[in-house]
Amino acid sequence: MRLKTLPIFSASTAAILSVAILTTSVAEACTRFVYLGENDQVMTARSMDWKTDVGTNIWVFPRGMERSGEAGQNSIKWTSKYGSVIASGYDISTTDGMNEAGLAANVLWLVESSYPAYDGKSPGLSIAAWAQYALDNFATVDEAVSALEKNPFTIVTDNVPGEERLATLHLSLSDATGDSAIVEYIDGKQVIHHGRQYQVMTNSPTFDHQLALNEYWKQIGGTVMLPGTNRASDRFARASFYANAIPKSENPVEAIASVFSVIRNVSVPYGITTPDQPNISSTRWRTVIDHKRKLYFFESALTPNIFWIDMTKLDLSKETGVVKKLDLGPNQIHIYSGMANESLKDTKPFKFLGL
């Protein structure tokens, strides 16, 4: 299912607000938004909010890697067409990243996710490799959506490491043209919202309900009042307003500063706890992707500096490119500053969590 236009909602917004308050109380908190600036500048920012260390490191993957969907005997197989820079989760999954064509992929928590039952006979793809599949195979959002809407695989999920609950995620895609797509699985069916207007994604409720909630706040106007809690629907409203309220600077340094200021605005303060909302979690790290200049910025909540990887200075070729890793340490406490390409170390690729 592909949804190209903004849905029209009736007076059910109040009911949706009630549902949002209930559902976001049990949702992990992350935010993603796309900045559309002057001179074709496009930047994608995201926060990673989790209650424990998510075991993140930065990885570089060259073209030509042989991949498996890690879903058993009938796993989907592919060879990576594009090199990429990614942030891992527990070094068993891709949570965030950009490929050399300028396509970005981010996975965020969505408790309402419900994936099709997997019979082991059709091509299967581990949810841990969902974002990487997009980065390896597609140059643009439109290309990715055209392929994904044909349902080339069945998503197979598993328990979050160290927990007794299944990973329930949705996927956002953005590219150098400013195009976006949000991919969710609701009641076992894939739903794709595709269009440049879909700049923001958070968590619960489902994306169509988030759009309805945001319509309510747009009528009030962000200069009058914005919701200020850590709930996903409130962060959605703030990110939606600020993504288009910040100046459209022609200076990329100023644009990066504005984008970081917005993603910090929708972050959850480190160490915060909410007794009646135990799964609203501290922001662990933030990334900003500069699609035009092919820069991948990273900021840990526990270090004083921002650093970046310059993809234009990496060897991503099939012939001579090698897998590299930037070790961020426990809770991402290792300190890097400025361009960190030289700190990348050759290593073996991690294996995606699967069956």
Side-chain angles (χ1 to χ4, degrees), residues 7-38:
I8 298 174
F9 294 92
S10 63
S12 59
T13 302
I16 296 172
L17 277 164
S18 299
V19 172
I21 290 172
L22 291 173
T23 57
T24 56
S25 67
V26 293
E28 301 290 356
C30 298
T31 306
R32 165 268 197 193
F33 82 93
V34 180
Y35 166 84
L36 306 174
E38 296 292 331

Side-chain angles (χ1 to χ4, degrees), residues 10-301:
S10 63
S12 59
T13 302
I16 296 172
L17 277 164
S18 299
V19 172
I21 290 172
L22 291 173
T23 57
T24 56
S25 67
V26 293
E28 301 290 356
C30 298
T31 306
R32 165 268 197 193
F33 82 93
V34 180
Y35 166 84
L36 306 174
E38 296 292 331
N39 297 330
D40 299 321
Q41 290 187 92
V42 178
M43 299 179 189
T44 299
R46 74 84 53 86
S47 62
M48 169 57 81
D49 305 352
W50 204 250
K51 59 186 177 181
T52 58
D53 180 15
V54 74
T56 296
N57 292 296
I58 303 298
W59 292 77
V60 173
F61 296 135
R63 298 187 292 273
M65 294 185 69
E66 299 297 326
R67 302 284 202 185
S68 165
E70 302 297 344
Q73 184 176 357
N74 289 314
S75 298
I76 190 170
K77 309 286 186 184
W78 72 93
T79 302
S80 60
K81 298 178 183 178
Y82 303 100
S84 58
V85 173
I86 68 99
S88 66
Y90 304 101
D91 278 353
I92 57 166
S93 67
T94 294
T95 64
D96 185 85
M98 174 176 61
N99 70 19
E100 59 185 311
L103 180 73
N106 330 88
V107 289
L108 280 69
W109 195 263
L110 181 67
V111 70
E112 293 89 351
S113 299
S114 175
Y115 307 102
Y118 184 53
D119 59 9
K121 299 177 181 178
S122 59
L125 175 67
S126 166
I127 196 169
W130 192 13
Q132 193 63 51
Y133 178 87
L135 295 174
D136 284 353
N137 286 291
F138 309 116
T140 66
V141 171
D142 192 65
E143 184 182 342
V145 168
S146 295
L148 293 177
E149 65 184 1
K150 297 175 183 175
N151 293 297
F153 51 75
T154 299
I155 287 286
V156 180
T157 189
D158 201 351
N159 285 339
V160 176
E163 300 186 34
E164 293 299 320
R165 59 169 178 164
L166 293 175
T168 52
L169 307 172
H170 53 173
L171 171 71
S172 66
L173 301 170
S174 51
D175 66 26
T177 72
D179 196 9
S180 280
I182 310 298
V183 187
E184 298 180 338
Y185 282 86
I186 308 300
D187 296 327
K189 295 182 179 180
Q190 181 180 241
V191 179
I192 302 177
H193 301 261
H194 178 204
R196 188 179 175 91
Q197 71 271 35
Y198 299 124
Q199 291 174 258
V200 178
M201 184 174 86
T202 56
N203 315 106
S204 296
T206 55
F207 193 69
D208 56 345
H209 285 184
Q210 292 278 24
L211 295 173
L213 292 167
N214 197 49
E215 284 299 307
Y216 167 80
W217 288 109
K218 284 167 65 177
Q219 292 174 24
I220 295 175
T223 57
V224 176
M225 181 175 66
L226 283 170
T229 79
N230 294 323
R231 290 190 177 99
S233 54
D234 287 5
R235 288 181 283 106
F236 191 104
R238 294 204 303 279
S240 295
F241 172 74
Y242 285 122
N244 294 293
I246 55 178
K248 307 300 182 185
S249 175
E250 295 184 2
N251 183 329
V253 174
E254 293 178 356
I256 286 286
S258 292
V259 171
F260 261 112
S261 69
V262 174
I263 200 63
R264 289 170 183 146
N265 179 278
V266 294
S267 294
V268 179
Y270 193 85
I272 195 170
T273 58
T274 309
D276 61 337
Q277 299 173 17
N279 291 320
I280 286 184
S281 307
S282 301
T283 296
R284 299 271 162 183
W285 49 259
R286 290 170 283 264
T287 61
V288 171
I289 289 169
D290 185 330
H291 295 261
K292 184 176 182 178
R293 296 189 295 162
K294 306 290 175 60
L295 301 176
Y296 187 77
F297 293 85
F298 189 94
E299 179 185 50
S300 169

Side-chain angles (χ1 to χ4, degrees), residues 286-348:
R286 290 170 283 264
T287 61
V288 171
I289 289 169
D290 185 330
H291 295 261
K292 184 176 182 178
R293 296 189 295 162
K294 306 290 175 60
L295 301 176
Y296 187 77
F297 293 85
F298 189 94
E299 179 185 50
S300 169
L302 291 179
T303 62
N305 297 322
I306 296 171
F307 68 86
W308 62 89
I309 303 297
D310 186 340
M311 291 192 72
T312 68
K313 293 179 168 60
L314 295 173
D315 181 1
L316 298 173
S317 67
K318 177 180 179 180
E319 293 75 20
T320 58
V322 296
V323 175
K324 293 179 177 289
K325 175 183 176 181
L326 186 65
D327 183 3
L328 301 184
N331 291 298
Q332 299 75 60
I333 60 172
H334 291 174
I335 297 174
Y336 301 95
S337 181
M339 189 176 74
N341 288 43
E342 295 301 319
S343 297
L344 291 160
K345 304 299 182 184
D346 296 0
T347 190
K348 295 181 180 180

